[in-house]
Each structure stands twice: as structure tokens, then as C-alpha cells.
């Protein structure tokens, strides 16, 4: 066995110097890493503070992300506190309008407060600026297929949250404001089996646009209404309906609530009438007597139900003096009018009847 050769004095000095230099590098690296971690922790803490639930409802404001072929999409989920073990609770999907995000529509509508009180989840899918510079949902881009892609992303967010949290997939309702209303209605007609009810606030119904230019015409109330097939109501009508191709193709859409202001200069009032016309024709419903309602000093409203027998197909709420804003929304929020009747309460009452 060979003996280990003794180190020379010069080698010993060199090794000591190397160890000292290595230690200094390691200590400097550790210090730098700690600084990076501290900065990152501060950023996370700041982001967490900024993303507290934007309402006074007790619960959690959860961030999430869905992935699809067209890219990632963020969402926020409000989970109310105190959900009983083993419970399966309803889900309300809220789609924001142009110039908003998830937190913006949550603050304006205060839907989280209602959810905390009544015990349901609220999902807020969020549009990205890459998909639309104004964060508008592309409800009108049916010709290019972008609308269909965004519908798939919203459905993916619903499926993802339903897997992670105790939601009842059979009790889902969807509502939206402006562009979000257009997307909500489009989803309800394209996937009627996924929703128990739908609410449009100041939006354009399906079938009136397939591109940006046609969307602008539709918003001004200049679009030609689509031909909606009416279901048969009797034996002889069934024969005639079959001849029109309507008997087997008549859609079964979820009940619709439409809220529209009479002073809306962004989305023409005629669009609200067109929405309930589509639902009424599709269900074979007719208008009942309109009723005037005013609560306190808030804007008065005219409410008209559209029914087939005792079954409600649609309800139209026209609010006198309301512009392009969420009726009864939080003060000082964009697209919000606190002087209007409480649209959030109206929507939940409408949904609650169909989510039982």
C-alpha cells in the first residue's frame, strides 16, 4: 500500500486560502438568497393583502388558473365560511364587463356578501388583456371561434372548481354585466344542460353579432334578429312545427332574467326586448301583464314575466333612469349605480327559485 504524500507548506497555505474563500462565497450566496426570499415574501404578503375578499362577506377569496389550447385564464372563487361537512352547495358564475376584472365586479355587485349569508360559491372567471385590451369577453367572435374558446375556458373553470370544492354540479347559475352578459347568454344557449338559470344585465343576446363590426351594430340596436324556432303547442301545431324543422330542434334554455336601464347609451334598450323575445319564442311563452315597482327612493322599474302556462321562460326588468351600470351597485365603483334597485338581490332571488 502506498503512503500518502505529505503536503508541502505552500500547499497547506493554498488549501487554507481556498477554504476561506469558499466559505466567504457560500456566506455571501446565503445572504443574497435570504434577501431574495425576504423580498419575495414581502411581495406575496402585499399581493395577499390586495386580494382580500372584495366584500364584507365572511369567506375565502381564492385565486385559480385554468389552462387550455388558447392559453391560461385566471379566475377568483369566493368560498363562504361554515360549509357543513358533506354538504354540496350551489355555484353562481359572475362574468365581469369591459374595463373590469374579477375583483371589480365583486366589489360593485357585492355578490360575496349574499353568498356568505345564503351559503353558495361564487366563481369569477377573468378575461385577459391579451385576449381583449379592454378585458371584454369576446361574445361576438363566433365567426373566428374565439367566443367558443372562451366559453370552453369558463366551463373548464367551473369543472375545475367543482372538483376541488364541495359544489353541486346540478345547481349552477350564471350572470354577467355588459360583455359578460352577452357571454353568459351565449353559454346558456350553447350549453343549456350546464345551467339552471341565467341573468343578463345590460347585455346583447346571442345571434346578433359574429364579429367586431356586427357587435357594434348590435350594441346600437341595429342588428337583424335571428330566426328562433318555436316549439309545438298541440297536435296540429306539432305537424306544422315539424314542417318548419322546429319540433325536434326546439331549444330548452334555462330561465332568463334581463335587467336593462332606460338611459343606457352603450347597449341599446332594444337588446333587452330581443333577449326575452328569443327565450319566449324558444319556449312558446307569452308576456303577462307588466307591473310597476319602486322601492323607497330608488329608480322605479317595470317588470314583465313571460310564461308558458305556469312555467316561467323569462323576466324583463326595465329600470327607469339607469345608465350602463350595475343597478344598486356599490357607490364609487365603476359601472355601478347605487340609486337603482338592488340587481344583486333580484338575481339571487331569481336564481334561488331554480337552484332548489
Amino acid at each position: 500500500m502506498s503512503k500518502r504524500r505529505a503536503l508541502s507548506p505552500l500547499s497547506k497555505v493554498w488549501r487554507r486560502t481556498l477554504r476561506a474563500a469558499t466559505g466567504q462565497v457560500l456566506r455571501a450566496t446565503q445572504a443574497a438568497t435570504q434577501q431574495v426570499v425576504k423580498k419575495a415574501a414581502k411581495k406575496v404578503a402585499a399581493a395577499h393583502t390586495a386580494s382580500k375578499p372584495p366584500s364584507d362577506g365572511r369567506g375565502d377569496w381564492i385565486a385559480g388558473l385554468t389552462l387550455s389550447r388558447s392559453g391560461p385564464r385566471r379566475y377568483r372563487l369566493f368560498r363562504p365560511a361554515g360549509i357543513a361537512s358533506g354538504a354540496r352547495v350551489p355555484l353562481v358564475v359572475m362574468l365581469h364587463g369591459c374595463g373590469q376584472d374579477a375583483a371589480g365586479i365583486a366589489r360593485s355587485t357585492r355578490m360575496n356578501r349574499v353568498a356568505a349569508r345564503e351559503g353558495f360559491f361564487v366563481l369569477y372567471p377573468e378575461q385577459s388583456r391579451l385576449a381583449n385590451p379592454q378585458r371584454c369577453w369576446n361574445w361576438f367572435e363566433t365567426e373566428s371561434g374565439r367566443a367558443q374558446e372562451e366559453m370552453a375556458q369558463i366551463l373548464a373553470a367551473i369543472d375545475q372548481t367543482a372538483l376541488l370544492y364541495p359544489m353541486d354540479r346540478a345547481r349552477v347559475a350564471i350572470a354577467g354585466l355588459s360583455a359578460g352578459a352577452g357571454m353568459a347568454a351565449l353559454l346558456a344557449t350553447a350549453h343549456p344542460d350546464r345551467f339552471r338559470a341565467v341573468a343578463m344585465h345590460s347585455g346583447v343576446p346571442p345571434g346578433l353579432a359574429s364579429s367586431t363590426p356586427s357587435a357594434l351594430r348590435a350594441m346600437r340596436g341595429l342588428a337583424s334578429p335571428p330566426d328562433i324556432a318555436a316549439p309545438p303547442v298541440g297536435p296540429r301545431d306539432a305537424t306544422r312545427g315539424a314542417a318548419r324543422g322546429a319540433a325536434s330542434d326546439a331549444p330548452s334554455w334555462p330561465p332568463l332574467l334581463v335587467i336593462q336601464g332606460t338611459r343606457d347609451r352603450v347597449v341599446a334598450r332594444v337588446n333587452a326586448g330581443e333577449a326575452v323575445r328569443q327565450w319566449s319564442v324558444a319556449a312558446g311563452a307569452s308576456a303577462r301583464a307588466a307591473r310597476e315597482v319602486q322601492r323607497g327612493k330608488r329608480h322605479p322599474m317595470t317588470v314583465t314575466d313571460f310564461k308558458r302556462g305556469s312555467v316561467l321562460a323569462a323576466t324583463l326588468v326595465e329600470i327607469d333612469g339607469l345608465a350602463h351600470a350595475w343597478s344598486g351597485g356599490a357607490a364609487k365603483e365603476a359601472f355601478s349605480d347605487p340609486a337603482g334597485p338592488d340587481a344583486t338581490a333580484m338575481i339571487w332571488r331569481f336564481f334561488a327559485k331554480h337552484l332548489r
Side-chain angles (χ1 to χ4, degrees):
M1 182 181 291
S2 60
K3 292 186 178 180
R4 195 172 179 182
R5 192 168 59 180
L7 294 172
S8 67
L10 183 61
S11 296
K12 290 180 180 179
V13 172
W14 181 82
R15 282 202 170 187
R16 285 197 298 268
T17 304
L18 180 62
R19 288 195 193 101
T22 302
Q24 289 176 353
V25 170
L26 287 173
R27 286 192 293 273
T29 302
Q30 289 173 347
T33 302
Q34 288 175 353
Q35 289 297 320
V36 170
V37 170
K38 285 181 180 179
K39 287 181 180 179
K42 287 180 180 180
K43 287 183 178 180
V44 169
H48 179 73
T49 301
S51 64
K52 291 193 300 184
S55 76
D56 52 2
R58 289 192 313 116
D60 301 314
W61 185 241
I62 302 166
L65 188 73
T66 59
L67 297 174
S68 68
R69 289 180 302 176
S70 55
R73 283 293 185 278
R74 297 188 302 177
Y75 65 80
R76 286 284 186 169
L77 178 72
F78 178 76
R79 177 177 58 187
I83 298 177
S85 177
R88 308 297 292 182
V89 300
L91 170 67
V92 170
V93 182
M94 295 287 289
L95 300 181
H96 62 77
C98 298
Q100 284 186 318
D101 56 13
I105 192 169
R107 288 193 303 266
S108 178
T109 64
R110 293 172 291 200
M111 185 62 80
N112 291 352
R113 184 200 301 181
V114 180
R117 185 182 71 238
E118 300 294 337
F120 60 88
F121 286 91
V122 190
L123 175 65
Y124 298 89
E126 194 169 77
Q127 178 67 302
S128 73
R129 292 195 184 278
L130 292 177
N132 189 290
Q134 287 76 43
R135 288 190 183 274
C136 305
W137 295 101
N138 294 300
W139 56 271
F140 47 87
E141 289 285 1
T142 55
E143 195 172 83
S144 67
R146 293 178 69 184
Q148 291 86 338
E149 290 177 359
E150 291 179 9
M151 283 195 288
Q153 290 164 347
I154 294 167
L155 293 176
I158 295 171
D159 292 338
Q160 182 171 307
T161 51
L163 284 173
L164 297 173
Y165 303 99
M167 298 175 189
D168 188 346
R169 287 175 177 268
R171 292 192 292 162
V172 180
I174 187 167
L177 170 66
S178 191
M183 182 58 78
L186 191 64
L187 271 161
T189 54
H191 303 276
D193 57 316
R194 298 293 301 267
F195 305 99
R196 296 285 289 272
V198 57
M200 297 177 64
H201 195 315
S202 310
V204 179
L208 298 184
S210 59
S211 62
T212 300
S214 58
L216 295 174
R217 290 195 299 272
M219 291 168 65
R220 293 196 294 266
L222 303 177
S224 300
D227 184 19
I228 304 297
V233 295
R236 282 182 290 183
D237 290 325
T239 304
R240 290 196 293 269
R244 295 195 307 269
S248 60
D249 299 331
S252 179
W253 297 338
L256 170 71
L257 172 64
V258 178
I259 299 174
Q260 178 67 42
T262 61
R263 293 187 182 178
D264 194 329
R265 299 293 180 265
V266 177
V267 175
R269 182 180 177 182
V270 68
N271 285 294
E274 171 59 19
V276 293
R277 183 197 73 84
Q278 290 186 16
W279 256 254
S280 299
V281 172
S286 57
R288 302 304 164 89
R291 55 190 186 277
E292 303 293 329
V293 181
Q294 184 168 15
R295 294 185 172 92
K297 295 182 179 180
R298 294 178 181 263
H299 299 319
M301 56 184 173
T302 303
V303 182
T304 309
D305 292 327
F306 297 78
K307 293 183 176 182
R308 181 179 181 182
S310 60
V311 178
L312 179 71
T315 296
L316 172 61
V317 178
E318 296 179 289
I319 300 173
D320 188 33
L322 178 70
H324 194 69
W326 189 272
S327 183
K332 298 182 180 179
E333 286 293 329
F335 313 108
S336 183
D337 183 359
D342 192 343
T344 302
M346 282 191 279
I347 288 172
W348 172 243
R349 284 196 299 269
F350 185 82
F351 283 172
K353 294 176 184 177
H354 303 288
L355 293 175
R356 291 170 183 162

